[in-house]
Amino acid sequence: MKNPKNLFKAGLKAGSHQFGIWNSIGESGVTEMLGNAGYDWVMIDCEHSPIEATAALPALQALAAYPQTSAAVRVAGNDTVLIKRVLDMGAQTIMVPYVESKAEAKAAVDAMRYGPRGIRGMAGMTRATRFGQVEDYFTTAEEELCLIVQVETAKGMAALEEIAGVDGVDAVFIGPADLSASMGYPGQFDHPEVVKPSSRPLRGARKSACPLGSWISM
């Protein structure tokens, strides 16, 4: 058995725009409904919601029935153990929040990779390996794993070019909510002082050809 293709990562490499939705309701029926709603991806949010690892697993299983919609998981923090557990559940796209430096981005990358390139712990009988059925999983898993780091503070924006240039960072997601708070304008996402300083760092990130994303209000 081959490792499943990560269509979200393939889309990033192709330069296509992908639109998705956050799911903060820990009930697999809701996730399944979103998986069939026409989005390119569904983000299972374990940071700002009651969703724990035990609820992320059935959400991933529900989305698996809709291969046209990619599953992604935002972990609660830049923590090796949290990332490891979600990867072992079979998540191929991970978002890590509140990354403010090159070193923090590198730590997230290390958590995604097996040794000697990283520090991800090895376990054979997991959903990620299809319970031992994926051929050469440990040497090929990285090809289909996708890491999104979330930059959402003034400090992070100042280091955006370095963060985006870290090998293993597949995309950067700008978080305007925490960014507005860090700049002294909490909740004022469209304030000129919040919007204005973004243009220079964003241009810098594009130098590294790193895909960028953010959310839009409906």
Side-chain angles (χ1 to χ4, degrees):
M1 179 184 294
K2 299 295 184 181
N3 203 21
K5 184 76 174 176
N6 187 335
L7 297 181
F8 178 82
K9 186 174 185 177
L12 291 180
K13 289 183 176 180
S16 60
H17 290 122
Q18 300 182 79
F19 295 90
I21 190 169
W22 250 253
N23 180 22
S24 58
I25 301 174
E27 202 281 314
S28 59
V30 173
T31 311
E32 184 173 8
M33 177 187 68
L34 294 175
N36 197 35
Y39 294 103
D40 295 310
W41 50 266
V42 174
M43 182 71 68
I44 303 162
D45 186 12
C46 296
E47 183 191 14
H48 288 296
S49 81
I51 300 177
E52 299 290 349
T54 52
L57 175 56
L60 288 168
Q61 291 169 326
L63 286 172
Y66 303 95
Q68 75 278 7
T69 304
S70 297
V73 178
R74 178 164 70 170
V75 294
N78 194 356
D79 182 281
T80 303
V81 174
L82 294 178
I83 294 171
K84 172 178 63 178
R85 293 188 70 191
V86 173
L87 289 175
D88 284 349
M89 289 177 197
Q92 291 184 305
T93 298
I94 305 291
M95 177 181 282
V96 174
Y98 223 84
V99 172
E100 295 189 292
S101 67
K102 179 179 179 180
E104 291 179 2
K106 181 63 167 59
V109 171
D110 288 346
M112 298 280 289
R113 292 173 167 174
Y114 289 118
R117 286 166 57 80
I119 58 173
R120 178 184 173 187
M122 297 182 69
M125 296 300 289
T126 64
R127 184 171 180 269
T129 68
R130 296 303 188 264
F131 306 100
Q133 297 302 305
V134 174
E135 300 172 17
D136 303 317
Y137 178 82
F138 299 112
T139 57
T140 63
E142 188 180 320
E143 298 171 9
E144 300 300 337
L145 295 183
C146 181
L147 172 64
I148 309 166
V149 296
Q150 195 167 5
V151 174
E152 44 191 337
T153 64
K155 179 181 177 181
M157 290 295 285
L160 183 55
E161 186 172 352
E162 288 188 345
I163 292 170
V166 171
D167 177 55
V169 170
D170 296 292
V172 172
F173 192 92
I174 307 300
D178 282 310
L179 177 60
S180 70
S182 76
M183 297 184 66
Y185 304 97
Q188 300 179 55
F189 313 141
D190 297 326
H191 193 287
E193 293 301 315
V194 176
V195 175
K196 182 174 63 178
S198 300
S199 60
R200 182 187 59 80
L202 288 176
R203 287 195 296 270
R206 291 193 179 103
K207 292 179 183 178
S208 67
C210 183
L212 297 167
S214 190
W215 56 258
I216 57 174
S217 58
M218 302 296 289

